[in-house]
């Protein structure tokens, strides 16, 4: 569990670290949409260069990014294989029964691989360089327009901030309970599926009970400190939009324009 | 069961950017049937040692020897499970490990995992519940209906029911009231005497160390800096304070008396010893 890289923040002081979380959030979401706009080698080349630029400017070692790819490796391989063997269109190189390897199949497989790679790298850039609480703040800000349709923005962002805060605590708690049950002879690593799922119960129940108890305590503590709801609160962490954020958006728009040009003009 | 640590190192998340060296070159032996206290500042590696002792993690390098079992980095889970059967560990706030519908079932859980039949497990569970002094009227209740102190007793019974020969206690009295604290510590001391247990106690309560332990390991920053008897450890107050550790009140009081000119043996570390020496001192004074 401690090997998971997704959702992990690596402290640093690179230009990407210092970007406004709102800018980073919008840009990475837009980037994922942007990826599907590319349909040529040139398009993918531009996207690849942009991704590499972003990764390089975080000044975090490439090894960490590669570790982030590991958990989804099987998904990537699976999709590539599907694309490779089940694309009936185009020039056929090899065929056996329903499987065939064609030139479109190969091209599609490479495209799918690149898409996965870019999406994962970019979202890793976001999570590695942004503190979870800053992300929650950014989300709250971006959801503000939804207040007009009576969407509970403050409540949702409070829940999000609390959830993020308690992820590591609950992880620690899970490890602790697991260790305690292993010490009492529970074996999580062997046996049939039924046996293994039964071994989960002694972890889940203590975790739920602990979480409920924690929620009650936290609610009491918040009320005792005068929390009455989200409206009319002032903020301690104020997000500030700098020139570098506008610059990042401009670079992104530049990439967008070039990409559209490659798609429709060339 | 004797335990020997030979050049043990442990690093968390080896081979990642988050690698974190927790223990460096540990060498020590815990004698069978001894009562060893493991003390040190927060983050000195005590909890890592506990997990190593119970086979929950394996040393990155070096060996841990439990009689005939040798644990190193390549030891299989099966061997670890065998060792685990002889080691009971009471984690901090152990009440958070309860999950069964009734107290009795929860205590039976450990023995059943280690291959005991339901009847055998029930007999062991009842014995353990009596040991921790939990009234029989609570045995069929849900563990979540009990008070915090009672839940702690049930959790400890769950560990004792495995009948370990090594009992590891990680701050077993944290968060208890003074009476509960004393009862529990006395229960462990009694168990050690009656069942020839080896006890390893992790604590910040120096009074407990002075009262019960016969051997002390002091950890600083992942290294073992001192391994000696409690009286040897508490003889050097300046050193202890430099390690941000407490000194028992009896020792401080004895030092004050000594400063006033009373001749008392330096080996005094707990209240009982101090009271005895004072009595002897006064009697001598009467005669002379």
């Amino acid at each position: 569990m401690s090997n998971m890289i997704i959702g992990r923040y690596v402290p640093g002081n690179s230009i990407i670290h210092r970007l406004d979380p709102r800018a980073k959030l919008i840009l990475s979401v837009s980037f994922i949409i942007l990826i599907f706009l590319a349909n040529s080698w040139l398009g993918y080349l531009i996207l690849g260069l942009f991704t590499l630029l972003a990764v390089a400017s975080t000044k975090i070692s490439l090894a960490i990014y590669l570790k982030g790819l590991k958990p989804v490796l099987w998904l990537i391989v699976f999709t590539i294989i599907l694309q490779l063997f089940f694309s009936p269109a185009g020039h056929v190189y090899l065929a056996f029964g329903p499987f065939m390897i064609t030139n479109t199949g190969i091209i599609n497989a490479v495209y799918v691989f690149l898409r996965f790679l870019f999406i994962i790298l970019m979202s890793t850039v976001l999570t590695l360089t942004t503190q979870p609480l800053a992300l929650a703040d950014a989300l709250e800000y971006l959801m503000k327009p939804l207040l007009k349709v009576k969407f509970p923005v403050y409540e949702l962002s409070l829940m999000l901030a609390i959830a993020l805060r308690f992820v590591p605590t609950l992880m620690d708690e899970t490890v602790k309970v697991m260790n305690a049950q292993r010490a009492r002879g529970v074996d999580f690593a062997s046996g049939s599926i039924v046996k293994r799922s039964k071994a989960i119960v002694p972890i889940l129940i203590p975790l739920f009970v602990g979480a409920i108890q924690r929620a009650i305590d936290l609610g009491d503590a918040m009320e005792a400190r005068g929390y009455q709801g989200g409206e009319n609160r002032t903020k301690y962490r104020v997000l500030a939009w700098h020139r570098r954020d506008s610059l990042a958006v401009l670079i992104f728009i530049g990439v967008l324009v070039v990409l559209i040009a490659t798609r429709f003009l060339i | 069961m004797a335990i020997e640590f030979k050049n043990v190192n442990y690093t968390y998340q080896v081979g990642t950017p988050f690698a974190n060296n927790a223990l460096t070159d540990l060498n020590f032996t815990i004698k069978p049937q001894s009562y060893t206290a493991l003390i040190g500042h927060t983050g000195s590696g005590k909890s890592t040692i506990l997990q190593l002792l119970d086979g929950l993690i394996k040393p990155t390098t070096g060996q841990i020897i439990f009689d005939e079992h040798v644990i190193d980095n390549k030891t299989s889970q099966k061997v670890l499970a065998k060792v685990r059967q002889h080691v009971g560990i009471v984690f901090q706030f152990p009440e958070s490990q309860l999950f069964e519908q009734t107290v009795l079932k929860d205590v039976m859980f450990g023995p059943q995992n280690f291959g005991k039949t339901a009847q055998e497990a029930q007999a062991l569970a009842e014995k353990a519940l009596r040991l921790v002094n939990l009234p029989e009227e609570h045995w069929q209740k849900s563990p979540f209906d009990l008070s915090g102190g009672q839940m702690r007793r049930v959790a400890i019974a769950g560990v004792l029911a495995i009948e370990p020969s090594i009992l590891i206690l990680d701050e077993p009295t944290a968060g208890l009231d003074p009476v509960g604290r004393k009862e529990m510590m006395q229960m462990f001391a009694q168990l050690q005497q009656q069942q020839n247990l080896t006890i390893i106690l992790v604590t910040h309560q120096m009074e407990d160390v002075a009262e019960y332990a016969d051997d002390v390991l002091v950890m600083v920053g992942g290294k073992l800096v001192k391994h000696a008897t409690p009286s040897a450890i508490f003889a050097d107050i300046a050193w202890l304070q430099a390690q941000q550790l407490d000194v028992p009140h009896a020792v401080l009081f004895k030092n004050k008396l000594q400063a006033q000119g009373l001749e008392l043996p330096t080996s005094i570390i707990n209240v009982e010893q101090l009271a005895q020496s004072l009595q002897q001192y006064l009697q001598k004074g009467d005669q002379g």
Side-chain angles (χ1 to χ4, degrees), chain A residues 152-224:
Chain A
V153 170
Y154 295 114
E155 284 77 4
L156 194 77
S157 57
L158 177 75
M159 274 159 59
L160 196 69
I162 291 176
L164 286 170
R165 155 67 185 79
F166 279 100
V167 166
T169 313
L170 281 174
M171 290 277 250
D172 286 350
E173 186 88 16
T174 313
V175 172
K176 209 193 115 183
V177 173
M178 268 179 91
N179 276 342
Q181 307 298 27
R182 277 167 73 197
R184 293 209 283 165
V186 179
D187 183 4
F188 296 112
S190 66
S192 64
I193 288 190
V194 179
K195 204 183 144 209
R196 278 197 218 188
S197 5
K198 269 191 187 157
I200 306 282
V201 175
I203 308 176
L204 276 189
I205 294 179
L207 277 182
F208 277 130
V209 172
I212 292 168
Q213 193 54 51
R214 186 161 280 140
I216 295 171
D217 291 347
L218 182 67
D220 287 346
M222 282 170 68
E223 249 176 334

Side-chain angles (χ1 to χ4, degrees), chain B residues 2-281:
Chain B
I3 308 167
E4 195 185 345
F5 273 53
K6 262 191 183 168
N7 309 318
V8 170
N9 283 280
Y10 190 80
T11 308
Y12 283 99
Q13 305 194 37
V14 168
T16 72
F18 307 103
N20 172 13
N21 191 28
L23 297 176
T24 319
D25 200 31
L26 285 190
N27 282 292
F28 61 85
T29 307
I30 292 172
K31 288 189 217 89
Q33 281 122 56
S34 63
Y35 197 130
T36 304
L38 182 57
I39 59 178
H41 198 50
T42 315
S44 59
K46 299 179 306 252
S47 304
T48 312
I49 294 184
L50 294 192
Q51 293 184 51
L52 283 168
L53 281 169
D54 201 11
L56 293 170
I57 52 178
K58 293 186 275 191
T60 311
T61 61
Q63 293 180 323
I64 304 170
I65 302 163
F66 293 86
D67 288 352
E68 77 270 32
H69 301 294
V70 178
I71 293 182
D72 59 21
N73 197 9
K74 292 187 182 70
T75 306
S76 72
Q77 286 296 325
K78 254 190 196 157
V79 178
L80 291 179
K82 254 183 218 156
V83 169
R84 220 169 279 154
Q85 196 163 355
H86 301 291
V87 183
I89 179 161
V90 177
F91 284 96
Q92 267 175 51
F93 299 99
E95 51 273 26
S96 68
Q97 72 192 34
L98 302 175
F99 72 98
E100 273 285 8
Q101 286 133 329
T102 68
V103 166
L104 193 64
K105 273 192 192 166
D106 200 281
V107 179
M108 285 164 64
F109 180 69
Q112 278 183 309
N113 281 327
F114 287 120
K116 296 275 190 291
T117 64
Q119 278 104 345
E120 288 169 332
Q122 186 166 352
L124 285 170
E126 286 173 0
K127 197 174 143 203
L129 284 168
R130 288 206 182 89
L131 271 176
V132 299
N133 220 350
L134 188 81
E136 209 161 322
E137 69 210 59
H138 296 314
W139 292 6
Q140 293 303 330
K141 281 189 188 163
S142 159
F144 302 111
D145 288 339
L146 301 179
S147 74
Q150 288 168 333
M151 280 168 84
R152 173 98 37 117
R153 281 161 196 275
V154 175
I156 291 173
V159 174
L160 293 177
I162 308 169
E163 300 203 297
S165 54
I166 299 167
L167 184 62
I168 301 171
L169 308 166
D170 189 1
E171 298 196 43
T173 58
L176 288 186
D177 58 67
V179 177
R181 189 170 274 208
K182 188 147 196 214
E183 269 180 28
M184 205 151 273
M185 289 313 294
Q186 278 173 348
M187 178 195 83
F188 290 130
Q190 229 174 25
L191 270 178
Q192 194 232 354
Q193 298 292 318
Q194 288 166 0
Q195 311 195 356
N196 297 323
L197 284 180
T198 307
I199 289 191
I200 300 163
L201 169 73
V202 173
T203 187
H204 292 290
Q205 306 288 329
M206 293 305 141
E207 311 294 333
D208 288 344
V209 177
E211 182 87 37
Y212 301 106
D214 46 39
D215 202 10
V216 184
L217 299 169
V218 187
M219 297 291 299
V220 174
K223 289 190 186 115
L224 179 66
V225 290
K226 218 170 206 181
H227 182 183
T229 59
S231 35
I233 297 273
F234 294 131
D236 193 349
I237 293 183
W239 183 82
L240 269 175
Q241 281 165 344
Q243 312 306 323
Q244 298 181 307
L245 292 168
D246 259 343
V247 182
H249 296 304
V251 174
L252 292 175
F253 191 60
K254 174 201 73 182
N255 286 2
K256 274 191 183 161
L257 290 175
Q258 280 176 328
Q260 296 294 319
L262 264 72
E263 281 171 36
L264 295 168
T266 43
S267 66
I268 292 174
I269 50 172
N270 59 38
V271 177
E272 206 180 318
Q273 292 168 354
L274 182 61
Q276 265 174 9
S277 307
L278 280 177
Q279 202 182 12
Q280 280 168 9
Y281 182 85

Side-chain angles (χ1 to χ4, degrees), chain A residues 91-256:
Chain A
H91 176 72
V92 179
Y93 293 123
L94 256 177
F96 35 99
F99 310 109
M100 54 183 83
I101 295 182
T102 65
N103 63 342
T104 43
I106 292 172
I107 290 171
N108 279 344
V110 174
Y111 280 0
V112 163
F113 169 72
L114 287 176
R115 278 182 195 162
F116 263 118
L117 190 71
F118 296 159
I119 290 176
I120 292 163
L121 282 180
M122 262 316 183
S123 38
T124 318
V125 166
L126 176 71
T127 53
L128 283 183
T129 62
T130 321
Q131 266 170 332
L133 275 182
L135 269 184
D137 284 345
L139 265 180
E140 176 179 343
Y141 183 87
L142 296 173
M143 284 190 303
K144 277 232 173 104
L146 292 176
L147 276 174
K148 291 220 170 74
V149 290
K150 302 240 163 99
F151 186 80
V153 170
Y154 295 114
E155 284 77 4
L156 194 77
S157 57
L158 177 75
M159 274 159 59
L160 196 69
I162 291 176
L164 286 170
R165 155 67 185 79
F166 279 100
V167 166
T169 313
L170 281 174
M171 290 277 250
D172 286 350
E173 186 88 16
T174 313
V175 172
K176 209 193 115 183
V177 173
M178 268 179 91
N179 276 342
Q181 307 298 27
R182 277 167 73 197
R184 293 209 283 165
V186 179
D187 183 4
F188 296 112
S190 66
S192 64
I193 288 190
V194 179
K195 204 183 144 209
R196 278 197 218 188
S197 5
K198 269 191 187 157
I200 306 282
V201 175
I203 308 176
L204 276 189
I205 294 179
L207 277 182
F208 277 130
V209 172
I212 292 168
Q213 193 54 51
R214 186 161 280 140
I216 295 171
D217 291 347
L218 182 67
D220 287 346
M222 282 170 68
E223 249 176 334
R225 290 200 279 168
Y227 178 79
Q228 288 174 338
E231 229 109 330
N232 303 322
R233 287 178 67 207
T234 54
K235 287 183 85 62
Y236 172 64
R237 292 185 306 270
V238 181
L239 298 173
W241 189 273
H242 294 281
R243 201 179 297 158
R244 55 173 175 264
D245 302 307
S246 311
L247 190 70
V249 173
L250 278 178
I251 294 176
F252 183 83
I253 291 174
V255 174
L256 178 72

